[in-house]
Amino acid sequence: MMGLAAAFTPSNAAPQVLVIITGVAATATGAQTVTVGGRYGTGTAPANAAAVTGTRFGPAADAVVGPAAAAAAGVPFTVTDVLTLSPGVAYWFDLAVATGNASDAASVTSVKVVTVELP
């Protein structure tokens, strides 16, 4: 987990919330694939490097991006979904990130998290 701890508490009855997370995924040493997936939950948000937790949002499976031409170049990504959440409940939003090579480290930069409660 990235440890973003982006928080949002919907207020409408049966709220629908648009969630968009964008960024650039890269690996530390080589042009490996990077798996990126959105997660959300309630309670304490996961810390950076914590085990994957929460409920997946976005595509049915986590997206595999890359490889980039070089490790430092990175690959842009977007994870988006419309979720029906419970009003008055605090939610956290985060990213689950992994590389295609267990000996390489994945990172995400230029992260933007947008949450919008739809009417």
Side-chain angles (χ1 to χ4, degrees):
M1 300 298 291
M2 287 301 302
L4 300 177
F8 186 78
T9 303
S11 59
N12 293 338
Q16 287 195 310
V17 176
L18 171 65
V19 181
I20 304 168
I21 302 178
T22 62
V24 177
T27 57
T29 61
Q32 296 292 325
T33 59
V34 179
T35 303
V36 179
R39 299 290 190 277
Y40 73 97
T42 59
T44 302
N48 182 264
V52 175
T53 188
T55 302
R56 179 193 321 268
F57 72 90
D62 292 341
V64 178
V65 298
V75 178
F77 69 88
T78 301
V79 178
T80 185
D81 207 345
V82 175
L83 305 171
T84 300
L85 303 175
S86 298
V89 175
Y91 291 88
W92 54 260
F93 296 91
D94 204 344
L95 289 172
V97 179
T99 91
N101 181 339
S103 64
D104 204 353
S107 64
V108 176
T109 58
S110 302
V111 178
K112 305 287 186 279
V113 180
V114 176
T115 52
V116 178
E117 192 165 359
L118 303 175

